[in-house]
Amino acid sequence: MTMDKATFTRKFCDRLLLVFGKKVDNATPLEVFQTVGLLIRDILKHKWKKTEDMYQQSKERQVYYFSMEFLLGRLLYSNLLNTEMYDVCKESIAEMGFNFEEILSQEHDPGLGNGGLGRLAACFLDSLASLELPGHGCGIRYKYGLFQQKMVDGYQVELPDYWLEEGYVWETKRLDKTVEVRFGGEVKTSVENGRLSFHHHNYERVLAIPYDIPIAGYQNNTVNTLRLWSAESTSNDFHFHSSDRNDYYHYLDYKQSVEQISEFLYPDDSYFEGKLLRLKQQYFLVSAGLQSILRHFKERNQQLSLIPDRICIQINDTHPSLVVPELMRLLLDEENLSWEEAWTITTKSVAYTNHTTMSEALEKWPVHMMKSLLPRIYMIIEEINERFCQQLWHDFPQLRDQISDMAIISFEQVHMAHLAIVGSSSVNGVAKLHTEILKKSVMKPFYTAFPKRFTNKTNGISHRRWLLSANPNLADLISNIIGKGWIKEPKELIGLLKYANDASVQEQIAKVKQENKTKLANFIQEHYHLTIDAHSMFDVHIKRLHGYKRQLLNTFHILHLYQVIRAHPHVDMAPRTFIFAAKAAPSYHFAKKVIKLINATANKINQDPIARDKLKVIFLENYNVSLAEKIIPAADVSEQISTASKEASGTGNMKLMMNGALTLGTLDGANVEIKEMVGPDNIFTFGLTADEVLAFQERGAYRSRDIYNGDQRIRTLLDQLVHPFLTNDDVEFKDIYYNLLYNNDEYFVLKDFDSYLEAHELVEQAYRNNQDWLKKSITNIAHSGKFSSDRTISDYASEIWNIHPISIQE
Ligand code: 26V
C-alpha cells in the first residue's frame, strides 16, 4: 500500500489536527515527527496483522530471540525506507516547510542496550524480517536506557536516560496479553495420584505487561514483533478496607519493589556482579516470554510434544538462560509432563550463543540468592545438575575428574553458562577464532562430551541500516555502479571489486567520503567549537570503553606522535584527526581514567600551535547508535586493536569496513575473517596473536617492566603520566601508570606498542598514496557483503533454527 504525496500531506494535516489540535504553521518539530510516526505505524499495522495471522495458521517453526538488550536505534528512517514512503514523506515534509533531518532527529534513540550484544540483536531482527523469516524478539521495556554521557572537565558524568518522556510512537501496549510472574515464597511438595507435585506459596505476584514494536522487513510484507515486557504491580492481594492501616504502606512498598524490575538497564557489559535486581530482571523476562509463547502455542496445538517442531528459543548470552529451568517448570508443574518428556522438549527447543570468554563477565549466581528468589527454579536446577553429573560419570569416563569443573552448581554458585550448554541443543560462538577458543579452552570438556552441539556463526550487521540508511550517498553511488541488487543480496557488493582500480569510480568514492567527512567536521565545529581539517585522515576508535579494547594503546600512539612533532616541528606527517567515542561503565574506575586521559591529551594537543596542522584529537560524548551513524560514513581508519583473544567478534569493525574505512587491527575476533576476505594488502594487522597472548597468560611469562626499561619511547610516555604534563597535577593518571607497571599490564599494551607504531607507519604511507588507498577502500566495501547480518541469519536459520521464509501476501 503506497500513497501519493497529496494523500500523505492531507492525512498528515488531519492527524496533526486530531492529535495535537495544530495546523501546519504552528506545529513543533516533535509534533511533526510524532504525526509522521503515527501515519507510518498505520501502514505497518495492516501488514503486521497479516503477518500474525499467517504465522498463526502456519505449521512452520518460529524463532524467539531472547535478549536482555535490543539496541534498536531510531526507527523512522528505516520504517520509511521499508514501507517505500521515504520519498513521498521527505518531499511532503519539505513542502510544508520543515527540515526533514531535524524531524528525524526528534526521535529519541532508545538506548536499551550496552553495546555489541544489544546492537547485534537489533540487526538480527532487521534481517529476520527482511528475509521473510518468522522470528521475534523478546526483551525488557526498561524505563531508563543506558545512561546519557556528559563530559564535565574531561570526566564522564552519567545522567539518566528517560527515553519515554514524550511517549514512544512505535509501541502498542497489549494489556490482553498480560501474564503473571512469581518471586520468592516457599515450595511444598505432596504426592498426588502417585506423582510428586509442587505447590508454590506466599510468593510475590508481578504483572508482566507486553509492549509490542513492529519490525518491518525491507520492502516486503513481513512485519515481525519485538515484545518488550514491563513490570507492574497488582492491588489484588491487598485489602485496603481492612482495619490494618499498614496495609496501604505494605502495598506502596510492594508496588515500588515490583516497578523496580523494569526500571533500568544495567550499565555494564563486561563485569559480572551478583545483583539481586538483575536476577529478578532475568527471570522476569524469561518467565513472561515463555508463558506468552506457550499460551500462543496452545491456541493452535494440543500436543506439547510438538513444541520443538514449532518453536525455537535462542538465548543471547547466558542472561536469559533461566529459560531452561523455567520451561521445565511450566511443562512439569503446569502441564504435568514427566521429567523425561519435559527435558526432551526443552533441550530440543533451546539454543545458546556465547558472546564473551572473559571470565570476569561469566554469570555465576550465589545459590542462596537463587534459592530464596526462585525456590522452585532452584529445585529444578539442582535436579538438572544431579542428572547431568550422573550422565558424565556413566557416559564419559574420560571426564570423571572434571565433573566438578563442569557441574552447574559448585562452590555454592550456579554457573549459568554450564546450565545453558547442558540445556540446549546448540552452542555457538560469534566468530571463527572465538568459537575455536571456546572449543579448545573455555568450554573444552563440554566440547569433548558434546562436539556436535558446538558451531560457529560469525556475526554480521544490517547493511540496510549501516550503509543504505547511514550513508545514502555511498549507497546511491554503489547502486549506480553495480545496480540495486546488493540491497536485497549484499553478496552482490562483490561486483564493485572490478572497479577497485577504476579512476573514475575511485574519484566518486573519494568525493562521497569527503562530503561525509566535511559533514562530520561541521557537526564537530557546531557542537564542540573545534575546527578540524576535513581533509586530514579520520582515524576512528568507537566502542565501549574497556581495558581490553585498548583505547589506551591508541592514546599512547597519539602522545608519541606529539612527542615526535615537539622534537621535530617540521617533520613530514600526514595530518590526522583522531576521533574517539565510548561510554565507560559507571563503576569502572580505570576506564573512566582513560576517558580523562584522552580528553587531557586532546586538550593539550589541540591547543598547541606546534601540532596545529598535523594532529587533532576529539572525544565525542554520548556514543550511541545515532552518533555511530554520523561517524562511521566519515571514517578513513578503523581502530580494532583489542588484545588478541579478548574481543569475541566485534561488529563495529564490519560497519566501518562496509563504509570504506581500512582496518588497523589485531588478529582478534572477526578481524581475522575480514583479513581472510580482503587479503593482507587491504588491512593493517599487528601485535600478538591470540595463541601468543594465551601462552603468555598460561606461563606468566610477560613482564611489562622489562619493556618499560628497554624502550625509551615508552618510558617517556609513562613518566609523563606521573608528571604535571597533561594536567597540572602528577596524580591524575597514577592509576594508569600503576596498572601498567605494577599490575603487569593485563592487556599487553606495552608489549604491542612497537608493532602498533609500525602498523601506523604503514597506514600513513598507504594514505599518502591516494589511488592505492581508494583501491583498498573499494576492495573493503566489495567484500563486506559477507558481514551482512542477512548472511548470519541465513546461517542460523538453516543450521540452528531450521526455519523457512513465509511469504506474506498483500
Ligand atoms: C554482560 C553483562 C555482565 C553484567 C551486567 C550486565 C551485562 C550486560 C551485557 C553483557 C554482555 C557482554 C558480552 C558482549 O557484549 N559481548 C560482545 O558481543 C558482541 C556481539 O556478539 C561481540 O561483537 C563483541 O565482540 C562482544 O564483546
Side-chain angles (χ1 to χ4, degrees):
M1 190 182 75
T2 46
M3 214 188 279
D4 61 30
K5 194 167 60 190
T7 315
F8 181 85
T9 306
R10 183 174 47 75
K11 288 198 172 197
F12 176 89
C13 295
D14 291 351
R15 254 307 166 72
L16 187 66
L17 191 64
L18 192 71
V19 179
F20 296 104
K22 291 261 185 101
K23 294 244 167 83
V24 168
D25 47 9
N26 63 353
T28 65
L30 180 64
E31 288 161 350
V32 174
F33 160 73
Q34 288 182 325
T35 308
V36 174
L38 289 171
L39 292 179
I40 300 302
R41 205 178 76 176
D42 285 347
I43 297 179
L44 290 174
K45 256 190 188 154
H46 295 98
K47 295 183 175 185
W48 202 1
K49 179 80 178 64
K50 278 251 164 63
T51 308
E52 265 177 19
D53 291 348
M54 290 278 288
Y55 287 177
Q56 179 75 345
Q57 289 154 20
S58 159
K59 293 199 172 357
E60 288 282 344
R61 201 176 195 213
Q62 300 188 33
V63 67
Y64 294 87
Y65 198 81
F66 275 58
S67 177
M68 292 286 282
E69 308 189 4
F70 286 91
L71 200 45
L72 292 176
R74 292 180 178 140
L75 291 184
L76 180 55
Y77 191 104
S78 47
N79 280 338
L80 287 172
L81 280 185
N82 293 341
T83 52
E84 296 177 70
M85 287 297 295
Y86 179 80
D87 292 328
V88 164
C89 175
K90 189 175 175 179
E91 285 166 27
S92 160
I93 292 286
E95 277 175 17
M96 288 187 281
F98 300 103
N99 174 331
F100 186 61
E101 292 228 343
E102 188 191 358
I103 300 304
L104 292 177
S105 73
Q106 297 302 306
E107 180 169 0
H108 195 119
D109 183 346
L112 306 186
N114 274 282
L117 168 136
R119 182 54 230 175
L120 185 76
C123 285
F124 280 7
L125 293 183
D126 178 345
S127 287
L128 279 163
S130 295
L131 296 172
E132 304 186 312
L133 287 166
H136 312 281
C138 185
I140 295 180
R141 181 181 180 265
Y142 303 104
K143 211 159 140 193
Y144 293 88
L146 187 64
F147 63 88
Q148 306 244 21
Q149 180 193 53
K150 280 258 174 308
M151 288 301 156
V152 177
D153 192 23
Y155 298 99
Q156 165 177 299
V157 171
E158 300 92 22
L159 300 175
D161 171 47
Y162 184 47
W163 69 289
L164 291 166
E165 180 139 30
E166 288 115 14
Y168 188 52
V169 70
W170 306 113
E171 71 181 7
T172 307
K173 185 174 183 176
R174 304 292 297 269
L175 266 180
D176 57 319
K177 308 279 182 197
T178 300
V179 298
E180 184 180 299
V181 178
R182 299 170 176 182
F183 291 100
E186 305 96 44
V187 175
K188 297 212 171 92
T189 45
S190 65
V191 179
E192 282 165 24
N193 305 326
R195 185 189 151 103
L196 207 53
S197 51
F198 299 84
H199 305 276
H200 197 176
H201 299 276
N202 296 326
Y203 48 81
E204 184 173 270
R205 230 186 265 279
V206 174
L207 296 185
I209 319 268
Y211 288 73
D212 287 353
I213 299 171
I215 304 293
Y218 178 73
Q219 300 188 355
N220 63 24
N221 295 318
T222 299
V223 179
N224 289 333
T225 302
L226 167 58
R227 177 161 283 184
L228 299 181
W229 295 93
S230 174
E232 288 189 21
S233 54
T234 159
S235 52
N236 288 354
D237 298 345
F238 294 85
H239 308 285
F240 297 115
H241 51 272
S242 84
S243 53
D244 183 357
R245 284 154 177 267
N246 282 327
D247 250 8
Y248 183 60
Y249 294 106
H250 289 149
Y251 170 70
L252 291 183
D253 280 349
Y254 153 78
K255 182 168 153 43
Q256 207 182 28
S257 96
V258 166
E259 286 166 8
Q260 254 186 37
I261 296 174
S262 51
E263 190 79 357
F264 72 95
L265 164 78
Y266 271 86
D268 202 337
D269 64 353
S270 46
Y271 186 79
F272 174 73
E273 273 181 291
K275 288 270 192 350
L276 183 66
L277 181 56
R278 170 90 177 165
L279 183 60
K280 270 193 173 178
Q281 292 185 332
Q282 295 186 347
Y283 183 67
F284 173 73
L285 162 68
V286 156
S287 181
L290 282 178
Q291 288 184 61
S292 128
I293 291 169
L294 275 193
R295 184 151 84 182
H296 191 64
F297 171 86
K298 282 167 46 183
E299 284 166 11
R300 304 167 284 167
N301 301 281
Q302 271 84 50
Q303 253 180 300
L304 294 166
S305 61
L306 285 176
I307 289 175
D309 295 339
R310 303 276 191 273
I311 293 168
C312 176
I313 291 156
Q314 185 71 40
I315 58 176
N316 200 17
D317 217 298
T318 55
H319 317 151
S321 49
L322 289 173
V323 290
V324 174
E326 175 65 0
L327 185 51
M328 288 297 287
R329 183 188 73 79
L330 291 167
L331 297 173
L332 292 168
D333 299 359
E334 312 274 324
E335 306 293 343
N336 295 313
L337 296 191
S338 71
W339 182 277
E340 288 72 19
E341 288 168 324
W343 187 245
T344 304
I345 292 174
T346 300
T347 50
K348 278 191 179 172
S349 306
V350 178
Y352 155 56
T353 306
N354 173 285
H355 295 268
T356 183
T357 57
M358 304 230 298
S359 55
E360 65 268 33
L362 297 181
E363 295 193 298
K364 291 172 223 152
W365 292 102
V367 163
H368 68 86
M369 206 183 262
M370 190 84 89
K371 223 180 199 167
S372 63
L373 186 70
L374 308 167
R376 176 64 182 131
I377 291 297
Y378 182 71
M379 292 168 88
I380 292 172
I381 295 176
E382 268 187 321
E383 182 70 24
I384 296 173
N385 184 47
E386 186 60 35
R387 288 176 186 241
F388 171 59
C389 293
Q390 294 271 357
Q391 180 196 7
L392 287 177
W393 181 266
H394 291 294
D395 299 351
F396 302 98
Q398 78 276 29
L399 291 171
R400 278 185 188 169
D401 59 350
Q402 292 183 63
I403 294 179
S404 66
D405 298 335
M406 299 173 74
I408 296 167
I409 304 170
S410 66
F411 295 101
E412 290 299 302
Q413 289 180 317
V414 183
H415 292 245
M416 302 310 268
H418 300 184
L419 176 63
I421 301 172
V422 172
S424 52
S425 49
S426 156
V427 178
N428 75 281
V430 290
K432 275 189 206 164
L433 174 70
H434 170 58
T435 303
E436 286 311 305
I437 293 174
L438 291 179
K439 294 198 292 197
K440 273 196 223 136
S441 75
V442 183
M443 296 178 173
K444 188 171 174 189
F446 291 95
Y447 178 59
T448 308
F450 316 112
K452 287 207 196 101
R453 210 170 285 186
F454 287 76
T455 68
N456 175 246
K457 296 287 166 284
T458 298
N459 281 168
I461 55 164
S462 162
H463 63 287
R464 283 170 294 268
R465 176 166 290 264
W466 295 106
L467 178 49
L468 188 64
S469 312
N471 198 345
N473 294 342
L474 181 59
D476 283 348
L477 174 57
I478 293 172
S479 296
N480 288 341
I481 300 168
I482 61 168
K484 283 182 158 225
W486 66 274
I487 302 174
K488 293 219 167 181
E489 292 289 344
K491 270 200 203 131
E492 288 187 14
L493 286 170
I494 200 67
L496 277 178
L497 201 55
K498 61 172 178 285
Y499 300 96
N501 275 316
D502 181 316
S504 137
V505 168
Q506 286 181 353
E507 199 181 305
Q508 297 175 67
I509 291 268
K511 184 164 169 276
V512 169
K513 180 64 84 183
Q514 192 50 58
E515 285 163 6
N516 294 335
K517 287 168 72 171
T518 304
K519 201 167 166 199
L520 181 62
N522 291 341
F523 171 84
I524 290 172
Q525 180 74 54
E526 191 182 322
H527 289 84
Y528 295 84
H529 310 293
L530 177 74
T531 307
I532 61 175
D533 174 2
H535 292 275
S536 63
M537 179 170 108
F538 282 17
D539 182 313
V540 165
H541 200 164
I542 48 173
K543 48 186 78 253
R544 283 299 289 264
L545 216 135
H546 196 285
Y548 84 82
K549 296 182 188 276
R550 299 201 294 191
Q551 283 92 349
L552 187 58
L553 178 58
N554 187 347
T555 312
F556 282 170
H557 168 248
I558 297 168
L559 285 169
H560 170 74
L561 289 181
Y562 180 49
Q563 216 45 50
V564 172
I565 295 172
R566 278 161 42 110
H568 313 280
H570 300 293
V571 61
D572 182 24
M573 202 183 258
R576 269 173 271 199
T577 301
F578 291 93
I579 298 168
F580 291 88
K583 286 178 181 170
S587 60
Y588 192 172
H589 173 78
F590 177 82
K592 291 175 121 177
K593 276 290 172 198
V594 174
I595 292 183
K596 174 68 182 169
L597 178 68
I598 297 169
N599 281 316
T601 302
N603 233 347
K604 179 98 183 167
I605 293 178
N606 296 346
Q607 283 176 22
D608 190 340
I610 209 170
R612 182 172 293 148
D613 305 327
K614 300 196 174 73
L615 284 186
K616 281 273 154 43
V617 184
I618 174 101
F619 191 107
L620 298 177
E621 66 185 3
N622 203 34
Y623 185 51
N624 61 10
V625 173
S626 301
L627 185 60
E629 288 165 347
K630 288 195 176 70
I631 302 172
I632 290 170
D636 293 310
V637 178
S638 158
E639 299 268 357
Q640 306 299 335
I641 61 176
S642 53
T643 311
S645 79
K646 305 288 177 218
E647 189 71 273
S649 160
T651 44
N653 46 3
M654 303 169 184
K655 294 164 198 166
L656 283 152
M657 148 196 215
M658 192 174 272
N659 282 273
L662 303 198
T663 306
L664 166 53
T666 45
L667 286 173
D668 199 17
N671 298 352
V672 176
E673 288 157 78
I674 293 180
K675 185 173 185 178
E676 266 174 30
M677 294 304 294
V678 301
D681 291 344
N682 298 301
I683 184 169
F684 303 91
T685 56
F686 71 96
L688 295 173
T689 63
D691 283 342
E692 286 165 348
V693 169
L694 296 172
F696 267 124
Q697 283 176 337
E698 223 160 80
R699 298 197 316 264
Y702 173 51
R703 283 178 38 128
S704 60
R705 189 165 280 279
D706 292 347
I707 301 204
Y708 172 84
N709 289 334
D711 189 330
Q712 176 63 50
R713 301 165 305 178
I714 287 180
R715 262 201 319 279
T716 307
L717 287 172
L718 291 204
D719 292 351
Q720 280 173 353
L721 293 181
V722 287
H723 285 95
F725 174 69
L726 290 171
T727 61
N728 291 331
D729 74 42
D730 52 4
V731 291
E732 180 73 72
F733 302 118
K734 73 172 186 335
D735 293 345
I736 296 180
Y737 180 86
Y738 278 89
N739 187 288
L740 295 171
L741 292 183
Y742 294 83
N743 268 348
N744 201 29
D745 180 18
E746 187 182 355
Y747 297 113
F748 298 87
V749 172
L750 305 189
K751 180 81 187 157
D752 275 348
F753 180 75
D754 182 57
S755 158
Y756 182 53
L757 256 54
E758 279 179 17
H760 257 297
E761 274 167 27
L762 295 178
V763 171
E764 193 194 354
Q765 279 170 27
Y767 190 73
R768 282 161 174 260
N769 182 343
N770 195 244
Q771 283 198 343
D772 190 45
W773 184 270
L774 288 165
K775 179 185 126 205
K776 293 181 196 303
S777 173
I778 296 169
T779 306
N780 270 268
I781 303 170
H783 284 290
S784 68
K786 143 115 198 226
F787 301 103
S788 162
S789 45
D790 286 9
R791 188 270 309 149
T792 314
I793 285 297
S794 306
D795 291 351
Y796 274 90
S798 61
E799 292 159 31
I800 299 181
W801 300 335
N802 191 22
I803 58 170
H804 305 100
I806 298 179
S807 205
I808 311 296
Q809 304 311 321
E810 221 176 325

